[in-house]
Amino acid sequence: MTAECKREAREKFRLGGIVARAGLTQADRAFLLGGLIELARVTPGSAEHRRLRDIGEEAFRAPPLDSGSPHIAETAEWH
């Protein structure tokens, strides 16, 4: 495995951990992608960016969220 492949694998693993930390492992993948696209539209340094970052910082200090969140659509398998 090349160094670049290892770096990419670590990055994917890290991002998957963030999804799990948020309690979204059973979420519909279109929902996740839509949310990420919306986040990409938030201007860095804006009040909304700072607000969301503060929420994330607090979440990293707290226990992981329950993945059984009632507003997350569960899927039987990922495609």
Side-chain angles (χ1 to χ4, degrees):
M1 194 179 254
T2 68
E4 180 64 19
C5 287
K6 287 181 182 180
R7 187 196 64 74
E8 288 178 12
R10 279 192 306 272
E11 183 69 10
K12 289 176 185 177
F13 184 79
R14 186 179 66 83
L15 292 172
I18 291 171
V19 171
R21 181 78 182 191
L24 295 170
T25 58
Q26 299 298 311
D28 177 90
R29 64 190 192 140
F31 168 77
L32 287 174
L33 182 57
L36 291 170
I37 290 169
E38 283 295 309
L39 286 173
R41 294 176 179 160
V42 175
T43 304
S46 67
E48 181 68 357
H49 186 270
R50 288 188 302 274
R51 183 184 76 80
L52 293 170
R53 183 170 173 78
D54 289 346
I55 291 169
E57 290 287 338
E58 184 177 328
F60 275 124
R61 291 188 296 269
L65 297 174
D66 177 13
S67 62
S69 180
H71 61 275
I72 298 173
E74 294 187 8
T75 57
E77 63 181 75
W78 294 75
H79 300 287

